[in-house]
């Protein structure tokens, strides 16, 4: 039977790891950039004191949940630098970290991988349970809508290009059959 310690331990796939200069922001953070080893997993970002060896299971100094990542942006504080903000609890003040990489290419690889796995870059799902009851079209020959439900007819029966005395409003309509925007 596995020990309690083993059953609580979860191994995550390492997506990216490498050396980085790290600086925290805040009152007591100072001006010092510290060399750390950064490890990106599917759901976490871990800061290690140095490069963990394959034999050791060195615990990271700090582990962040990517779901708590609220900001990932390029900054010019130092060359090849990115700013990260983590909010661990709703309403809590975000913790800010600056990471400086060796090159632009390295910075953007890390940036994209962190962003894509955070709540910021999560995929937007398609609507579920959607039912299409009405299809409305626009007839450019009559400058009128087709397929409108009864209640909508009054809402769009306002000014038209052919009836400019009411108002000089211009209609901008997307014609899905031709893929063009039409102005009337």
């Amino acid at each position: 039977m596995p020990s309690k310690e083993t059953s609580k331990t979860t191994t995550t796939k390492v997506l990216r790891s490498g050396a980085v200069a790290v600086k925290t922001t805040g009152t007591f953070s100072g001006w010092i950039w510290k060399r750390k080893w950064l490890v990106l997993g599917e759901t976490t970002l871990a800061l290690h004191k140095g490069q963990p060896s394959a034999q050791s299971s060195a615990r990271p100094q700090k582990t962040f949940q990517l779901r708590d990542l609220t900001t990932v942006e390029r900054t010019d504080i130092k060359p090849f630098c990115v700013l990260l903000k983590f909010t661990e609890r709703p309403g809590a003040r975000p913790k800010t970290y600056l990471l400086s990489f060796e090159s632009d290419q390295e910075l953007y690889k890390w940036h994209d991988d962190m962003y894509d796995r955070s709540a910021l870059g999560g995929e937007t799902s398609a609507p579920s349970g959607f039912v299409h009851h009405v299809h409305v079209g626009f007839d450019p020959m009559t400058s009128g809508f087709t397929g409108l439900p009864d209640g909508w007819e009054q809402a769009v029966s306002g000014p038209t290009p052919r009836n400019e005395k009411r108002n000089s409003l211009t209609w901008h309509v997307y014609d899905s059959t031709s893929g063009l925007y039409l102005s009337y």
Side-chain angles (χ1 to χ4, degrees):
M1 180 168 159
S3 70
K4 288 183 181 178
E5 191 65 35
T6 307
S7 63
K8 288 183 181 179
T9 306
T10 58
T11 57
T12 61
K13 179 181 171 188
V14 174
L15 303 172
R16 182 174 300 284
S17 68
V20 64
V22 179
K23 180 181 178 310
T24 59
T25 62
T27 308
F28 302 107
S29 63
W31 297 97
I32 300 170
W33 290 80
K34 296 179 181 174
R35 295 295 292 171
K36 301 286 183 181
W37 191 263
L38 197 58
V39 178
L40 177 65
E42 285 290 338
T43 60
T44 60
L45 182 66
L47 279 173
H48 292 266
K49 202 171 196 173
Q51 182 176 1
S53 67
Q55 292 81 18
S56 75
S57 59
R59 296 189 71 162
Q61 288 183 312
K62 182 74 179 165
T63 301
F64 304 97
Q65 297 297 317
L66 292 174
R67 68 173 178 257
D68 299 333
L69 186 59
T70 57
T71 303
V72 183
E73 61 187 40
R74 178 80 188 255
T75 181
D76 292 330
I77 291 174
K78 194 172 178 178
F80 319 124
C81 190
V82 67
L83 177 136
L84 304 178
K85 287 185 182 179
F86 292 91
T87 304
E88 295 173 353
R89 295 178 317 275
R93 182 178 225 166
K95 294 183 180 180
T96 304
Y97 293 84
L98 297 164
L99 307 178
S100 179
F101 296 94
E102 296 295 322
S103 68
D104 254 354
Q105 183 179 12
E106 186 181 5
L107 178 146
Y108 283 113
K109 285 180 181 178
W110 278 94
H111 178 282
D112 293 347
D113 285 345
M114 289 184 289
Y115 185 88
D116 290 344
R117 285 162 181 80
S118 72
L120 299 167
E123 290 185 31
T124 304
S125 64
S128 61
F130 175 77
V131 179
H132 188 98
H133 293 289
V134 176
H135 178 77
V136 176
F138 184 79
D139 183 357
M141 302 307 254
T142 63
S143 296
F145 292 98
T146 60
L148 283 174
D150 294 336
W152 294 14
E153 192 68 47
Q154 281 186 326
V156 295
S157 66
T160 64
R162 294 198 184 357
N163 186 2
E164 292 185 25
K165 289 181 182 175
R166 279 183 154 171
N167 195 339
S168 61
L169 180 69
T170 302
W171 288 80
H172 300 282
V173 179
Y174 177 72
D175 181 11
S176 61
T177 56
S178 67
L180 299 174
Y181 283 94
L182 308 171
S183 296
Y184 297 96

